[in-house]
Every structure is written in structure tokens, then in C-alpha cells.
Amino acid sequence: MRHRSVADLMTPTAVAVQPGTSFKEIARLLDEYGITAVPVVDEENRPVGVVSEADLLRRHTAKDGPSTAEAMMSSPVVTARPSWTAVEAARLMERHRVKRLPVVDAEGRLIGVLSRSDLLQLFLRRDRSIQEEIREDVVVRILRLSPSAVHIDVDEGRVTLSGTLDRAGTGPILVRLCETVDGVVEVEDRLTYEDATVRDEAVAAVEAVEAVEAAERSSEGAEGGAA
């Protein structure tokens, strides 16, 4: 499976401002390009901050101090790399509570901007494309099952899996892999197993996976709180 990267989803940078750019010029750019924030870059095109609509409103309300990008921007800036997966970028947005990430190259120079709306493109994939990827990449290539072993139904990104499996643990692995496919909103498991022993082992495998995921979420929450 190939997950779309930040480079695939980002908007190539067309708008950026210098530290000395004025309040009115920034407001004009936000309105002209229909965006809610703009990166502030130095002379070498490296992001040093971000000015958002909220920053402009705060400055307008305060009515004191200089009204330049440098004075209004939020800094330090949180950036992403083009090779990151969408999941990595989304987690960074959530951790730092930001809606947009400037994307930088290996030298730290601005090459694009990734927004929450860009990430939503993942969920606009056609159901047929999702179904084909699950069948060809997950079922056949990774799990080495017959393409007819599992019935895959996809409706608005919601995947329903049904069929009878004979290998213990295959079902939970299949479900988890489906959940990582770009565009999948949720997965409903209607899989059955040839005998009760296999079914019980599969249920135990699901519970083990869920326990690991719960521990990971708890760890991520602790890291976010520490940050």
C-alpha cells in the first residue's frame, strides 16, 4: 500500500510574507487567496512564524504596538516535511493545535503549506478505488488470500468485511490493515471462522491489538500534555 504523503496533498506555496509586511497587506492577501493564515519567511525563505486571521483580530483589538508580520506572528513555527504521511502531519496538527503546517525541504526552506482541508482529500477517494486497494494490496498481496475469500463492501468510505476465514488471527490483521487505507472512515467486521477455536483465538487477537492501541493513545496523550 502506498499512503499519500504531505507532498501529494500540500498546496505549493504561492503566498508568504516578510517580517516587515504590514497589517493591511496581510489582510489583503488572506482575502485575495481565500486563506486563513500565511507563513512569514526570512531572506532565505525559511519560515520564522505564521500570521493568522486571529492574530490580525488581536492586533486590531489591542490597537497598540507595531502592526507588522514580525510583531503579530505566532512563533516558533511548527513545520512538516514533504515525505511525511498524512497521519504524521495530522498528529502534529492535533498536538500543537494548529490548522496549517508550512512544509519545508531538507534545508528548511518553504515549499508548500498543508491545511486541514488538504487532509480531507484523503476521504474523497472513490469507494471503488478503496475497494480495489483493499482487495489487491491487503487481501491478495499482503495476506496472500484468495481475492474471493473476503467480500468487501465500501459505502462512503465505510468498509464492511464478510466471509469465512480459516487462519486464526487473520481477521484482526485484515481489519487493522483496512483501517490504514487512505479514505477509509471505519471498518465493520462481519467475518466468520470455520470453527469455534479459531474464532476464540481471533477474538483474543483483537483484544490484544486494542490493548496495544489504547496504550499508544495514552502515551501520545501524555506527550502532548508535556509539550
Side-chain angles (χ1 to χ4, degrees):
M1 294 184 296
R2 179 189 178 277
H3 296 295
R4 280 188 279 181
S5 66
V6 168
D8 296 327
L9 298 170
M10 72 181 189
T11 301
T13 304
V15 187
V17 300
Q18 299 291 322
T21 304
S22 70
F23 179 104
K24 286 189 175 181
E25 177 64 11
I26 295 171
R28 185 189 68 78
L29 289 171
L30 295 185
D31 178 66
E32 179 180 346
Y33 289 92
I35 54 179
T36 60
V38 62
V40 183
V41 297
D42 62 17
E43 294 179 352
E44 296 183 339
N45 203 38
R46 290 188 172 92
V48 295
V50 174
V51 177
S52 67
E53 291 176 331
D55 295 322
L56 293 179
L57 290 173
R58 278 194 292 269
R59 176 60 61 182
H60 178 71
T61 302
K63 296 184 182 299
D64 62 349
S67 296
T68 62
E70 185 173 22
M72 296 182 290
M73 70 184 186
S74 300
S75 182
V77 63
V78 180
T79 62
R81 291 300 181 94
S83 60
W84 288 6
T85 66
V87 172
E88 289 175 303
R91 285 178 175 172
L92 188 66
M93 284 185 182
E94 179 65 22
R95 186 178 304 130
H96 292 275
R97 302 183 185 280
V98 295
K99 298 178 180 179
R100 298 166 66 87
L101 292 173
V103 183
V104 297
D105 62 17
E107 285 72 43
R109 294 185 175 87
L110 186 68
I111 59 173
V113 175
L114 182 75
S115 68
R116 287 181 177 177
S117 60
D118 294 326
L119 291 175
L120 288 177
Q121 292 180 31
L122 292 176
F123 300 100
L124 298 179
R125 292 187 71 191
R126 294 181 181 275
D127 290 340
R128 176 63 64 84
S129 296
I130 296 172
Q131 184 184 53
E132 290 176 353
E133 181 174 343
I134 291 174
R135 177 178 294 109
E136 295 171 7
D137 287 355
V138 178
V139 174
V140 177
R141 186 174 64 84
I142 297 177
L143 296 180
R144 300 186 181 281
L145 299 172
S146 165
S148 61
V150 180
H151 179 72
I152 306 158
D153 182 66
V154 185
D155 182 23
E156 297 293 328
R158 294 174 174 82
V159 178
T160 302
L161 303 172
S162 58
T164 301
L165 301 177
D166 58 359
R167 282 186 280 172
T170 301
I173 295 172
L174 172 58
V175 170
R176 296 310 177 203
L177 288 173
C178 288
E179 289 174 339
T180 67
V181 171
D182 288 343
V184 171
V185 176
E186 64 179 330
V187 179
E188 182 177 354
D189 180 2
R190 295 183 183 177
L191 296 165
T192 58
Y193 302 90
E194 289 190 347
D195 59 61
T197 300
V198 172
R199 182 171 59 251
D200 291 343
E201 290 175 355
V203 170
V206 171
E207 293 174 346
V209 171
E210 291 177 343
V212 171
E213 290 181 342
E216 289 176 348
R217 287 194 296 271
S218 177
S219 175
E220 288 180 359
E223 289 176 4

